[in-house]
Amino acid sequence: MSEDSKYVEHCKGINGLDKVILREVRGCSAEIYLYGGQVTSWKNEHREELLFVSSKAIFKPPKAIRGGITICFPQFGSGALDRHGFARNRFWSIDNDPPPFPTNTTNKAFIDLILKQSEEDAKIWPHRYEFRLRITLGPGGDLMLTSRIRNTNTDGKSFTFTFAYHTHLYVTDISEVRVEGLETLDYLDNLKDRERFTEQGDAITFESEVDKIYLSTPTKIAILDHERKRTFVLRKDGLPDAVVWNPWDKKAKAMPDFGDDDYMHMLCVEAACVEKPITLKPGEEWKGRQELSVVPSSYCSGQLDPRRALSV
Ligand code: BG6
């Protein structure tokens, strides 16, 4: 086995769709479907799944895969295009010769994907672009996604987009989950026509449907799974907003590709750029990064200021 194939395996997934598996020496892994450029699995060294994928997810175009990390581009949420844009239900390609990253990395488990304008998409979004997505599994099991989006229009036109890494985390029991780092921030409530509110009180907990876009959020957010005593740490760069979503029971039942009880075991926390869309002139490039890691919950106990605990 060559060094590369030890870390990066190309194979077929559900319904014969192309899939890439990233592996690290300690046994951590991640799986990526070229359909949607979507991470559908992220496991720690004990082979425990850390991402949620719906028990009824449909791995078949044109439906987007319900779960994992969905790429929302060039539109987050509702608007002129279908909800969350088209990147999530397009076939991405392997990018064999990506432009170099400014920082040199010794990581071996990574894959570069690319999405470009198709003739079909030009009719609904008349812009030429190169969307490069690098997905890396670090030696400690951290999962990093870096998006580089370049305007390659030849007609001199700028384009504008919104974006999210629609990340479905697997949680043991949603009623025992707490999110730290978003308290006291302003948010747009998707359940109230994006009206603006200010979050009150302590860390965020869950007892009903939630669909909020938190604005100007810190670069680190902690998601504590009390049952399992583990904490997801989401770090981000270039993505000021953070979406928090759980459909709860009624909406869960209304979604054909979502199990009735699935809502108990998932929470979406999504590094995003929604409130202030990004505009790129021809030749300009935007970069947005999300990094996920897991630490024991004792590491960032609720007694501590999460910003201090997370900076350890
Ligand atoms: C979330 C949005 O990111 O995605 C919600 O905030 C939306 O409003 C949810 O319902 C799921 O969207 P979809 O299109 O995948 O059903």
Side-chain angles (χ1 to χ4, degrees), residues 66 76 83-84 88 166 190 211 243 245 270:
R66 170 88 55 203
F76 172 82
R83 187 161 52 195
H84 294 335
R88 66 172 174 165
H166 189 331
N190 263 331
D211 192 353
V243 181
W245 179 62
E270 320 169 18

Side-chain angles (χ1 to χ4, degrees), residues 38-87:
Q38 189 150 340
V39 181
T40 54
S41 170
W42 172 40
K43 289 183 181 160
N44 62 16
E45 68 271 30
H46 308 298
R47 275 48 170 193
E48 291 166 337
E49 184 55 68
L50 302 168
L51 294 180
F52 162 88
V53 174
S54 164
S55 51
K56 292 188 176 169
I58 297 163
F59 287 70
K60 203 170 171 199
K63 189 86 190 137
I65 300 166
R66 170 88 55 203
I69 305 179
T70 314
I71 302 293
C72 302
F73 170 83
Q75 172 190 294
F76 172 82
S78 307
L81 302 171
D82 283 349
R83 187 161 52 195
H84 294 335
F86 49 75

Side-chain angles (χ1 to χ4, degrees), residues 87-262:
R88 66 172 174 165
N89 56 1
R90 294 294 180 270
F91 285 95
W92 292 58
S93 307
I94 306 271
D95 188 7
N96 287 316
D97 193 20
F101 276 78
T103 45
N104 227 353
T105 157
T106 49
N107 290 322
K108 294 193 172 110
F110 68 88
I111 188 77
D112 286 292
L113 303 182
I114 186 162
L115 185 71
K116 290 184 191 178
Q117 185 197 50
S118 68
E119 261 177 48
E120 246 345 85
D121 289 344
K123 293 177 197 152
I124 53 169
W125 204 65
H127 300 294
R128 291 163 76 101
Y129 64 92
E130 286 172 359
F131 184 156
R132 292 193 158 83
L133 173 63
R134 173 170 288 192
I135 300 157
T136 306
L137 186 67
D142 299 356
L143 182 66
M144 293 155 276
L145 282 82
T146 307
S147 291
R148 297 183 289 175
I149 298 173
R150 178 176 289 279
N151 180 336
T152 54
N153 272 336
T154 49
D155 57 6
K157 287 197 178 130
S158 300
F159 63 64
T160 297
F161 63 94
T162 50
F163 180 94
Y165 290 114
H166 189 331
T167 305
H168 303 69
L169 299 171
Y170 177 82
V171 296
T172 321
D173 175 359
I174 185 68
S175 60
E176 298 287 325
V177 169
R178 196 170 74 217
V179 177
E180 295 183 351
L182 302 176
E183 50 278 8
T184 73
L185 296 181
D186 279 8
Y187 65 88
L188 307 178
D189 196 337
N190 263 331
L191 301 176
K192 293 186 177 135
D193 289 330
R194 290 205 178 171
E195 203 182 322
R196 192 177 181 120
F197 296 92
T198 303
E199 193 61 72
Q200 304 292 331
D202 291 337
I204 290 138
T205 53
F206 303 91
E207 51 192 24
S208 59
E209 182 184 1
V210 55
D211 192 353
K212 296 177 177 177
I213 305 163
Y214 289 90
L215 309 173
S216 304
T217 58
T219 53
K220 290 175 197 162
I221 299 168
I223 301 102
L224 287 80
D225 182 336
H226 282 298
E227 287 253 318
R228 203 151 296 203
K229 295 189 174 47
R230 77 176 164 214
T231 297
F232 293 97
V233 181
L234 187 154
R235 292 180 171 81
K236 59 191 179 61
D237 193 27
L239 295 157
D241 305 325
V243 181
V244 176
W245 179 62
N246 184 300
W248 222 252
D249 55 347
K250 257 201 220 131
K251 278 223 175 117
K253 287 200 176 88
M255 287 190 280
D257 60 344
F258 199 89
D260 287 359
D261 296 333
D262 278 355

